[in-house]
Amino acid sequence: MPTLRALQQSEHELVGVVTQPDKPVGRAQKITAPPIKAVLAGSKMPILQPAKIKDPQSIEGIRALAPDVIVVMAYGQILPRAVLESPKIACLNLHASLLPRWRGAAPIQAAIAAGDHETGITVMYMNEGLDTGDILLQRKIDISPNETGATLHDRLAQIALEALLESLRLLAAGSAPRIPQDKSLASYAPKLNREAGRVNWNETAEAIERKIRAYNPWPGAFSDFDNRKLKIFAASIVDLRGKPGEILRKDRELVVATSDRALSLTEVQLEGKRRMSAAELLRGLKAH
């Protein structure tokens, strides 16, 4: 959304927007517009919402806009060759990693979980491969020791717009570079599902703590506790030892053993309850 707003306010003419179809959301399954469409509410901007981008009518709808450049960011569908070849100049993708590291669907979570010290935005020329296109430019940022998936996502969203506008300036001037990716350095961040957030206490305390931050808010780290699902939003490493998964303390703090040390769970949410500190959760359980 920050990138869309920046394009609207730039010297470039925005001729149309393609986003996902309206979908049922929440318990009430209320039909809801995607955020991009909501941002454009009230404008006369053509908005295309194809169920399948590969359908001939979807491709024709994009071609009819006669774009010089197509910009793709977190779209969620694979673009066919016919769409990639439809703009006069280029089809650009803004990817949330320093390619070729962390190609794929979940680069933000992967960078934190792996303990990377930096990441960034890559503007690349799209091809039919999975994030394999030539690089136009990159912008780097440091990953802080307390970074979460949410905070890193928002920080990358802010630098993405400058990266894109600079890329468009270079294209307009005819001086945009094309740097092939080094395939030998490629790594992959596959799409995550909810089960990916299940904590494996046989891993090290450091690895689990990184995943808890990486998976906050999606897909959310969790474990079983008191015969219910316990979501874990934050934890700190403590120098205690026990059998992996063993609860070492359960009075004023919730400490669980890992393969080497232990984790004190600091912010949690027990199934059916609100998000709270572990101390508050334990007080509530004692009261019952």
Side-chain angles (χ1 to χ4, degrees), residues 64 75 96 98 180 203 205 214 220 235 256 258 270 273:
Y75 178 58
L98 298 174
E203 293 188 289
V256 186
T258 70
L270 191 60
K273 302 285 185 180

Side-chain angles (χ1 to χ4, degrees), residues 82-182:
V83 171
L84 297 177
E85 293 177 347
S86 61
K88 192 184 297 182
I89 299 172
C91 195
L92 300 180
N93 178 237
L94 279 76
H95 184 79
S97 82
L98 298 174
L99 291 171
R101 187 160 178 78
W102 303 129
R103 294 172 177 174
I108 294 173
Q109 293 94 331
I112 298 172
D116 291 0
H117 296 296
E118 66 175 12
T119 187
I121 290 285
T122 298
V123 182
M124 68 169 172
Y125 299 89
M126 292 185 74
N127 61 20
E128 288 183 278
L130 180 64
D131 302 326
T132 55
D134 293 344
I135 294 167
L136 197 161
L137 64 74
Q138 294 183 321
R139 290 288 179 269
K140 295 180 181 181
I141 57 172
D142 291 333
I143 298 176
S144 69
N146 60 350
E147 200 83 65
T148 68
T151 60
L152 187 54
H153 171 279
D154 292 351
R155 289 174 61 213
L156 288 169
Q158 292 305 318
I159 68 163
L161 54 95
E162 185 277 327
L164 175 62
L165 293 177
E166 175 61 19
S167 297
L168 293 176
R169 281 193 287 272
L170 291 168
L171 280 176
S175 57
R178 283 192 86 116
I179 305 159
Q181 292 187 40
D182 184 344

